């Protein structure tokens, strides 16, 4: 646990030191769970967004984009169920005065059981060596089965109690499991209450005429209310999708995990409109397709898993999360939800307008069913960033800090380094930079010894260093150094563009899907 915490702390401090993420309004001691993306962070974030957009919109002729406004008519949130049901169960510890999400306290308890299972697996792997059969072990070992059953029973009971709004039972469960406040160890809890997560604001100049608005808590509703506009103007035929990226706002009860849970964050969502009755197939299809997108980034299969929901939201008939192994354990990164026709029907009812699709093949109109994929851009950023940050032991006994970002996402693709600040080398380096910057984000660095500049580029996640030396004056060649292997190659200046392009092109990465 301490190791995990250390790793998480180093992620946060590295993000600050290298210009990725800053606390918002830091000079005023910060604003809780609000963050700013700095010079490198904004590039990484942009690249992740583009990688998603390309895979979802550009590569699918039946998926189109949208950029709807953050402000929406307040009736939207009544229809969607957010006014009545977008709340989390909160509980306070009377001694520490700390506030928690009751469901998260229980889920963390279950995560500890999962960690115990992993420990058993590790022990058995050591004991049995090559003869160890993990699948068999997980299916038969008494202790493992005990932990699994206990965890499943706890989550089932919690799911049922939350669904029935039986908050007293959620508190009873916390007490029965003897869950203590992680900060103080106290088990002195208040009752569980529901807390609505939407931020309210006002539109209008005078107090009397002002209209109560909400900052959108998800981007999806902007898609639903525009469904027919897009379908008609784009002559879209079912199945088709509408994708959008943009800010969402939630007044989260507990926000102590850096950019994992923020009050202002960005979502990348896609709603796929389908024929009623086909939702199971499309649910499987999008689960698989989204997982392939994650896999294409090469961040380790073992770091992802599906988690099927026991407790379904009011709008869903099936839902799963893609969970990622963050520095604090496996947590939700993306949700795939089969939303039925709940949203379109609700908007029809509240607006009095028809939101139906005329199916020429079937010769009838209906409200399509919807399959949703929803991923937090900031969470994806944290997944990529934390997984990439590594402390590496080198052969000569020293260590290096390297940010092994998938090169397609790296903010800077190459650093161009004149070996010395004289003899015409800076001029050549500047010329190379001038050529490459049309195609890639590149940086120029002439300060310090070249070894230190390499380390700086490594820590910054830059996949290539290009060094201009005295031989360059005669042979038009430079040394290109690869971040991950530290291998160096002598290449012609004219080859640089192709070498970098091959390594960082979105096409080459997305082809791995
Ligand atoms: P959680 O259970 O972690 O609160 P959720 O199930 O409420 O998440 P969704 O409403 O399904 O999340 O939102 C879709 C995605 O948006 C999530 O998978 C996550 O990546 C992202 N997301 C949700 N809330 C936040 C937040 N407060 N900060 C950053 N990202 C978020």
């Amino acid at each position: 646990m301490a190791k995990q915490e250390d790793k998480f702390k180093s992620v946060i401090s590295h993000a600050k030191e290298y210009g990725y993420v800053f606390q918002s309004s830091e000079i005023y001691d910060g604003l809780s769970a609000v963050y700013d993306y700095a010079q490198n962070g904004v590039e990484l974030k942009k690249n992740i967004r583009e990688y998603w957009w390309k895979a979802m919109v550009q590569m699918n002729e039946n998926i189109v984009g949208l950029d709807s406004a953050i402000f929406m008519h307040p009736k939207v949130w009544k229809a969607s169920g957010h006014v009545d049901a977008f709340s989390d169960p909160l509980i306070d510890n009377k001694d520490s005065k700390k506030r928690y999400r009751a469901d998260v306290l229980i889920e963390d308890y279950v995560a500890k059981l999962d960690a115990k299972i992993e420990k058993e697996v590790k022990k058995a792997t050591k004991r049995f060596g090559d003869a160890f059969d993990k699948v068999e072990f997980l299916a038969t070992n008494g202790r493992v089965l005990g932990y699994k059953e206990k965890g499943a029973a706890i989550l089932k009971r919690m799911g049922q109690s939350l669904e029935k709004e039986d908050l007293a039972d959620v508190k009873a469960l916390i007490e029965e499991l003897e869950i203590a406040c992680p900060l103080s160890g106290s088990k002195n809890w208040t009752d569980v209450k529901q807390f609505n997560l939407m931020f309210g604001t006002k539109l209008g100049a005078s107090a009397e005429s002002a209209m109560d608005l909400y900052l959108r808590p998800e981007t999806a509703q902007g898609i639903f209310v525009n469904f027919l506009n897009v379908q008609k103007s784009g002559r879209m035929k079912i199945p088709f999708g509408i994708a959008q990226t943009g800010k969402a706002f939630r007044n989260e009860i507990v926000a102590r995990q850096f950019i994992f849970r923020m009050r202002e964050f960005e979502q990348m969502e896609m709603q796929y409109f389908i024929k009623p009755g086909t939702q199971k197939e499309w649910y499987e299809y999008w689960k698989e397709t989204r997982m392939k997108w994650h896999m294409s980034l090469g961040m380790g299969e073992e770091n992802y898993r599906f988690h099927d929901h026991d407790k379904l939201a009011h709008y869903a008939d099936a839902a799963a999360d893609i969970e990622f192994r963050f520095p604090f354990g496996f947590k939700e990164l993306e949700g795939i939800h089969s939303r039925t026709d709940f949203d379109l029907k609700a908007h029809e009812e509240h607006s009095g307008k028809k939101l139906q699709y005329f199916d020429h093949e079937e010769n009838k109109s209906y409200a399509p069913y919807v399959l949703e994929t929803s991923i937090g851009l900031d969470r994806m950023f944290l997944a990529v960033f934390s997984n990439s940050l590594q402390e590496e032991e080198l052969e000569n006994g020293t260590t290096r800090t390297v940010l092994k970002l998938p090169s397609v996402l790296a903010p800077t693709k190459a650093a161009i380094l004149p070996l010395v600040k004289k003899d015409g080398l800076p001029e050549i380096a500047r010329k190379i930079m001038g050529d490459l910057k049309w195609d890639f984000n590149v940086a120029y660095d002439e300060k310090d010894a070249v070894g230190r500049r390499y380390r700086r580029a490594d820590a910054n996640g830059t996949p290539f260093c290009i060094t201009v030396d005295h031989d360059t004056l005669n042979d038009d060649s430079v040394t290109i150094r690869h971040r991950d292997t530290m291998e160096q190659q002598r290449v012609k200046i004219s080859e640089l563009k192709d070498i970098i392009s091959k390594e960082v092109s979105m096409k080459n990465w997305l082809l791995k899907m």
Side-chain angles (χ1 to χ4, degrees):
M1 209 59 181
K3 232 173 152 185
Q4 275 191 354
E5 272 168 32
D6 288 348
K7 162 89 195 192
F8 193 33
K9 275 191 196 148
S10 65
V11 165
I12 298 170
S13 62
H14 197 87
K16 182 172 177 194
E17 191 181 339
Y18 284 86
Y20 278 83
V21 184
F22 300 146
Q23 173 83 59
S24 157
S25 324
E26 197 190 69
I27 58 168
Y28 293 99
D29 297 332
L31 185 63
S32 157
V34 186
Y35 291 89
D36 298 337
Y37 287 88
Q39 66 276 20
N40 284 315
V42 70
E43 296 287 341
L44 174 55
K45 204 174 163 197
K46 180 182 76 137
N47 292 342
I48 296 173
R49 194 190 294 112
E50 197 182 330
Y51 195 66
W52 181 87
W53 190 268
K54 206 161 218 161
M56 299 299 277
V57 182
Q58 191 169 330
M59 298 309 294
N60 289 294
E61 53 184 288
N62 65 342
I63 300 181
V64 293
L66 178 77
D67 183 12
S68 68
I70 288 172
F71 290 141
M72 299 183 74
H73 195 285
K75 277 193 187 165
V76 167
W77 306 110
K78 184 72 190 160
S80 66
H82 283 82
V83 172
D84 297 318
F86 192 58
S87 44
D88 279 336
L90 74 81
I91 190 165
D92 290 309
N93 187 278
K94 290 186 196 163
D95 296 322
S96 68
K97 307 276 183 269
K98 286 284 170 200
R99 179 158 281 188
Y100 296 94
R101 256 174 72 174
D103 55 334
V104 171
L105 282 179
I106 295 169
E107 279 165 7
D108 284 350
Y109 181 92
V110 173
K112 281 189 193 137
L113 297 176
D114 288 342
K116 283 185 182 165
I117 295 177
E118 269 193 37
K119 224 174 180 174
E120 293 291 335
V121 169
K122 255 195 202 141
K123 265 199 313 204
T125 316
K126 227 177 184 174
R127 191 159 6 115
F128 298 116
D130 288 344
F132 180 60
D133 181 341
K134 187 174 168 188
V135 177
E136 162 107 15
F137 180 79
L138 287 174
T140 53
N141 179 276
R143 250 193 300 245
V144 167
L145 291 178
Y147 292 139
K148 264 201 212 163
E149 261 170 44
K150 187 173 179 191
I154 293 170
L155 291 179
K156 189 165 173 206
R157 176 166 157 200
M158 179 181 85
Q160 286 171 343
S161 306
L162 286 173
E163 203 145 306
K164 286 188 298 198
E165 286 284 315
D166 185 354
L167 299 180
D169 191 57
V170 177
K171 180 178 182 190
L173 185 56
I174 287 175
E175 284 174 341
E176 278 167 40
L177 297 173
E178 300 192 357
I179 295 175
C181 165
L183 282 175
S184 65
S186 151
K187 294 174 194 157
N188 192 7
W189 297 108
T190 61
D191 287 342
V192 177
K193 281 185 292 202
Q194 288 290 11
F195 174 78
N196 194 295
L197 300 181
M198 282 198 294
F199 282 104
T201 185
K202 290 202 182 291
L203 179 143
S206 70
E208 308 85 65
S209 63
M211 187 181 197
D212 285 316
L213 289 192
Y214 295 106
L215 297 183
R216 68 178 177 198
E218 62 175 29
T219 59
Q221 297 304 323
I223 295 180
F224 292 126
V225 300
N226 278 300
F227 149 75
L228 212 52
N229 285 338
V230 173
Q231 190 271 321
K232 287 200 165 136
S233 58
R235 287 173 288 118
M236 310 300 290
K237 285 208 172 59
I238 269 177
F240 72 92
I242 305 177
Q244 115 159 299
T245 70
K247 286 275 173 114
F249 304 82
R250 296 184 187 178
N251 197 359
E252 296 282 359
I253 296 171
V254 182
R256 297 187 195 115
Q257 282 166 319
F258 192 40
I259 55 171
F260 178 81
R261 192 175 296 289
M262 303 156 88
R263 299 206 160 98
E264 172 180 342
F265 59 101
E266 190 164 338
Q267 288 187 314
M268 306 192 286
E269 297 199 297
M270 193 278 298
Q271 312 292 328
Y272 203 63
F273 298 90
I274 56 175
K275 204 179 266 193
T278 61
Q279 66 270 32
K280 276 213 166 62
E281 286 156 51
W282 286 116
Y283 177 62
E284 292 307 326
Y285 172 83
W286 280 110
K287 267 175 80 173
E288 196 189 317
T289 304
R290 290 303 304 147
M291 191 56 115
K292 279 194 198 153
W293 180 85
H294 286 286
M295 291 301 132
S296 72
L297 288 169
M299 298 202 298
E301 251 175 69
E302 69 286 1
N303 292 322
Y304 298 83
R305 69 182 188 194
F306 280 115
H307 168 245
D308 295 312
H309 283 207
D310 294 317
K311 176 188 174 243
L312 292 174
H314 57 278
Y315 53 75
D317 73 354
D321 297 336
I322 293 176
E323 295 187 336
F324 184 77
R325 197 197 296 267
F326 287 96
F328 36 82
F330 270 105
K331 294 271 180 212
E332 171 178 344
L333 170 60
E334 170 159 11
I336 291 117
H337 310 126
S338 172
R339 294 182 78 123
T340 69
D341 56 3
F342 174 87
D343 303 270
L344 291 180
K345 282 262 169 74
H347 286 305
E348 280 196 320
E349 209 177 286
H350 284 78
S351 67
K353 306 272 165 33
K354 277 234 165 307
L355 291 175
Q356 305 242 328
Y357 170 80
F358 184 74
D359 189 327
H360 286 276
E361 276 169 27
E362 306 231 343
N363 203 25
K364 66 173 187 196
S365 294
Y366 54 78
Y369 270 37
V370 172
L371 224 291
E372 166 182 80
T373 71
S374 174
I375 175 169
L377 175 49
D378 314 85
R379 259 186 214 184
M380 184 64 196
F381 184 111
L382 182 59
V384 171
F385 193 87
S386 61
N387 190 68
S388 303
L389 184 60
Q390 293 172 23
E391 215 38 61
E392 243 180 30
E393 299 258 344
L394 301 180
E395 274 168 17
N396 64 7
T398 59
T399 57
R400 70 162 178 159
T401 302
V402 51
L403 190 61
K404 290 189 168 173
L405 297 172
S407 55
V408 64
L409 303 180
T412 306
K413 304 305 185 193
I416 299 152
L417 325 170
L419 189 64
V420 289
K421 265 192 269 184
K422 54 182 185 185
D423 306 335
L425 303 190
E427 287 74 12
I428 300 178
R430 289 265 179 215
K431 163 115 192 12
I432 294 175
M433 168 130 172
D435 288 340
L436 290 178
K437 74 180 178 192
W438 288 96
D439 297 289
F440 315 105
N441 237 342
V442 286
Y444 178 83
D445 189 2
E446 61 175 21
K447 196 167 174 288
D448 301 323
V450 79
R452 287 191 58 186
R453 284 182 267 166
Y454 284 159
R455 290 299 158 80
R456 206 149 51 217
D458 287 345
N460 208 32
T462 305
F464 294 108
C465 285
I466 295 163
T467 309
V468 175
D469 58 24
H470 289 97
D471 289 340
T472 309
L473 297 168
N474 306 316
D475 65 5
D476 279 338
S477 295
V478 288
T479 301
I480 184 161
R481 173 185 179 272
H482 299 253
R483 177 196 66 198
D484 296 352
T485 58
M486 297 195 293
E487 259 167 15
Q488 302 191 13
Q489 260 173 298
R490 196 76 193 164
V491 302
K492 289 273 177 221
I493 292 173
S494 56
E495 293 173 301
L496 285 172
K497 186 177 159 191
D498 281 351
I499 295 172
I500 301 172
S501 187
K502 213 161 138 202
E503 179 62 33
V504 308
S505 102
M506 286 213 176
K507 179 177 175 187
N508 288 346
W509 284 80
L510 283 172
L511 278 173
K512 295 182 201 154
M513 261 182 86

